[in-house]
Amino acid sequence: MADSDDLHRLSRSERREAVEEILSREFRAGLLMDEAEELPWEENFFDLGLTSLRLMELKQRMETLLNCEISSNVLFNSPNLARLSEHLADVVLPGLSDEPAH
């Protein structure tokens, strides 16, 4: 797994893949899903069975893993994994050029 420093050095497409991998792993764990189960990226967090409390726990875990702050508004205004992933890869994590940072 890439750490937060590694993520900042990746190109935008690589960063998005890495963020998606982290989100997938953490949300599967939070939803008690195994690897064989498909994680619906377009489905609302609450439709997946998450509570506000569990979502905040996952937010804190993601902030620790990615070494960044995630606004709670993002979770409620863009309440699915696809939107969260896009937001994290393009807005929250710095170094948004298409080329890796040196």
Side-chain angles (χ1 to χ4, degrees):
M1 177 185 109
D3 66 22
S4 62
D5 289 337
D6 292 337
L7 288 174
H8 299 296
R9 292 184 186 101
L10 298 174
S11 70
R12 183 183 302 211
S13 62
E14 292 170 324
R15 186 181 317 120
R16 180 164 284 135
E17 280 182 33
V19 167
E20 287 175 2
E21 181 181 313
I22 293 167
L23 283 174
S24 179
R25 184 184 63 245
E26 295 304 317
F27 274 78
R28 280 180 194 282
L31 292 164
L32 305 176
M33 298 173 73
D34 62 40
E35 288 294 319
E37 292 178 87
E38 186 174 337
L39 183 60
W41 282 76
E42 298 292 332
E43 196 164 333
N44 183 291
F45 294 134
F46 301 107
D47 292 341
L48 291 173
L50 290 172
T51 63
S52 295
L53 178 60
R54 188 66 185 131
L55 194 54
M56 290 299 103
E57 290 170 350
L58 285 166
K59 172 189 169 294
Q60 290 174 340
R61 175 84 175 131
M62 296 304 302
E63 288 175 334
T64 299
L65 288 171
L66 298 173
N67 193 29
C68 67
E69 189 172 325
I70 302 169
S71 168
S72 297
N73 289 337
V74 172
L75 298 175
F76 295 100
N77 294 334
S78 302
N80 67 41
L81 284 165
R83 287 179 167 164
L84 178 59
S85 174
E86 182 177 322
H87 178 77
L88 290 173
D90 291 343
V91 177
V92 175
L93 298 174
L96 298 178
S97 69
D98 287 328
E99 296 300 316
H102 298 285

